[in-house]
Amino acid sequence: MVNLHALPPSALRGEGMTSQRARDRLVTKLVEEGIRDERVLEVIRQLPRHHFIDQALHSRAYENTALPIGHGQTISQPWIVARMTEALIEREVPGRVLEIGTGSGYQAAVLAGIVPTVYTVERIEELLRQARRRFRQLGIENLRSRHDDGKLGWESDAPFDAIILTAAGDRVPTKLLDQLRPGGVLVAPVGGPSQQLLVRLRKGDDGTVVREELGPVSFVPLLGGIG
């Protein structure tokens, strides 16, 4: 499991708007907006978000806002990263988590600071290449990545204790639910461009799924295929 306190100094170094003080201010903002899980807050406090975006945007890295990362994709707002992580681990820390939509790699890195093993799938090869470089530079070793259609999941290593989607579709693909173990939890944005809800699905031992709505969100669409 990644030890965020042992990150290379070059990864943690920052000044002004990318300093530790900026991260501390972000965590204070997250607490004010309702994030309570200390494990999540501590990972976000330690993890250098500016490492996951272009240098031109470094001054905005610790704003509580989504930022562009190219290819029509974004790095999610820190609050939504924290909220989704919190929702995923609320009852217990899952042993193996599958993330659909690596993007910048930030959500996967946050998960890797808490969860023993993270699997992440990205359909856009260039984004995955950049994310893998960041994972290596940060010394994250408990994370596996794959260039593939996220709607297909990672069948060869299923079932997973938890699944998280970082893009929104009209529904959660059945193939992903099939890869969730009985007793597992899935967190995803669901809906179209004009209206999306963050939902948490819990899969019973008999395969039945209980849905819980966690509030409105806004995500890029969940697309199939690879690019």
Side-chain angles (χ1 to χ4, degrees):
M1 195 167 181
V2 63
N3 180 358
L4 291 174
H5 297 286
L7 289 175
S10 59
L12 289 172
R13 186 165 52 242
E15 297 179 354
M17 298 303 291
T18 63
S19 66
Q20 184 60 58
R21 184 174 296 180
R23 277 174 249 168
D24 292 342
R25 286 196 298 267
L26 172 60
V27 168
T28 297
K29 180 69 172 176
L30 296 180
V31 172
E32 290 172 353
E33 296 194 4
I35 302 301
R36 294 288 177 262
D37 193 297
E38 290 293 339
R39 297 164 296 183
V40 176
L41 293 169
E42 185 59 24
V43 171
I44 289 176
R45 187 189 308 277
Q46 297 294 329
L47 191 65
R49 188 174 185 247
H50 65 275
H51 194 69
F52 294 85
I53 57 176
D54 288 341
Q55 189 170 359
L57 293 171
H58 277 189
S59 64
R60 302 187 61 194
Y62 300 102
E63 295 177 6
N64 190 21
T65 187
L67 296 169
I69 58 171
H71 303 274
Q73 305 298 302
T74 60
I75 181 173
S76 292
Q77 176 189 10
W79 182 86
I80 197 64
V81 171
R83 182 69 187 100
M84 292 180 76
T85 305
E86 196 174 55
L88 203 73
I89 67 172
E90 185 174 288
R91 291 188 180 177
E92 63 179 2
V93 175
R96 300 165 73 247
V97 173
L98 171 65
E99 179 196 38
I100 303 302
T102 312
S104 70
Y106 183 68
Q107 173 72 81
V110 170
L111 287 168
I114 301 170
V115 174
T117 308
V118 177
Y119 296 73
T120 184
V121 180
E122 173 56 54
R123 63 179 294 274
I124 300 173
E125 187 172 17
E126 175 60 18
L127 288 181
L128 184 60
R129 184 188 66 79
Q130 294 175 12
R132 283 171 168 168
R133 173 177 51 81
R134 292 165 181 145
F135 299 149
R136 288 193 300 270
Q137 290 173 341
L138 292 171
I140 299 175
E141 298 179 348
N142 59 325
L143 194 155
R144 296 178 60 188
S145 61
R146 182 173 186 171
H147 177 225
D148 207 346
D149 181 346
K151 289 186 175 182
L152 302 178
W154 198 318
E155 193 167 15
S156 62
D157 286 80
F160 297 94
D161 302 311
I163 298 175
I164 187 170
L165 279 69
T166 63
D170 292 332
R171 60 182 181 82
V172 175
T174 301
K175 199 164 188 68
L176 296 180
L177 279 173
D178 289 344
Q179 293 177 35
L180 184 65
R181 71 161 175 82
V185 61
L186 183 150
V187 174
V190 175
S194 61
Q195 186 175 17
Q196 298 172 8
L197 286 172
L198 185 64
V199 303
R200 178 166 52 194
L201 306 179
R202 295 193 185 277
K203 190 173 187 179
D205 291 338
D206 59 356
T208 59
V209 175
V210 176
R211 170 176 165 140
E212 179 184 0
E213 296 181 352
L214 304 178
V217 290
S218 179
F219 278 80
V220 296
L222 178 65
L223 301 176
I226 57 175

